[in-house]
Amino acid sequence: MRVRFLLLSVEQANHLPYRITGPATHIVKFFSSLPVSLEQARLDIEPENYAAASVISALIYGVLFGIFFTGLGFFASGSWFDALRMGFVIGLSGFLGAFALHLFYPRIMAQQNSAGIDQGLMFALRSLQIQVNSGVSLYDAMTNVAKSNYGNISREFETVVQEINTGVNEPTALERLALRTDSIFLKKTVWQLVTNIRAGSPVSSALQSIVSTLTEYQSRAIKNYAAELNMWILLYLLVAAALPTIGITFMVILSSIGGSDISSGTIYMTIGGAFLVQIVLIGLIGSRAPRGYT
């Protein structure tokens, strides 16, 4: 298994010698959230091994960037001193940037896993509710969901079923699921199920309450996003069409009054700036969209 941008695979990182992983314990102590992120990202690797692999990978990136830009700087300036100085600065920046990316990428993977869980959670819960209402036990219902194609949520229930098969009782296995997942919706669902199981209450009523609550929350979230989307569309039109056009028009008027010309570089910079802002706005609009409702 490989982590994106990390030059070492998980298997290679797990086989690193202790003289390399030992000093990495100081990094893990500084980045205390790394073990939780690795667990939520479902990466089977010790935090010390991952930190050591991150250092090695970042060093390789830094050396490659340094060599490349040193050669590029020498051909541009003809001075080895200036080229080495530029290569060192860019190489060091590449090392720090790659190292930070490696350490924070498990958190990104955990968030992606959480989004995948939310997408199939409602369908899985409805399936559980229908099966339990039909007289199927919760264990058999979770087994059926684990075998179904509900994405990440099926894999999570598969882990729960495997733990139960090894002798762990249902409430404990569900508690472990709540602790390792990064999905807020799944946490609330599992804790409510555990509470009902321990209290001896019917699981079917808990599932019905959970499904009703999630359905209401999803409907409200979609309505709020639809209302918010109108503002984002207006802002996008202003940045994409109105502001560049008005800005260039004013520059033409001012240049004609002042007797100076507008360079092509100014126009390109205006268009490029508007293009970059559009990309940022599209990313913001996409990130604000409710998850798990498709």
Side-chain angles (χ1 to χ4, degrees), residues 16 19-36 38 46-59 95-96 98-104 106:
L16 289 175
R19 63 177 179 272
I20 298 178
T21 60
T25 54
H26 301 289
I27 300 175
V28 177
K29 291 179 181 178
F30 187 78
F31 294 92
S32 57
S33 62
L34 181 61
V36 178
L38 291 173
E46 294 296 325
E48 294 80 9
N49 293 70
Y50 184 83
S54 299
V55 173
I56 295 173
S57 178
L59 279 174
F95 166 75
L96 295 176
F99 183 62
L101 175 63
H102 293 332
L103 290 182
F104 287 106

Side-chain angles (χ1 to χ4, degrees), residues 236 239-241 243-244 268-279 281:
Y236 179 82
V239 173
L243 290 181
Y268 290 145
M269 287 180 61
T270 303
I271 296 175
F275 180 72
L276 290 176
V277 175
Q278 290 176 44
I279 294 176
L281 285 176

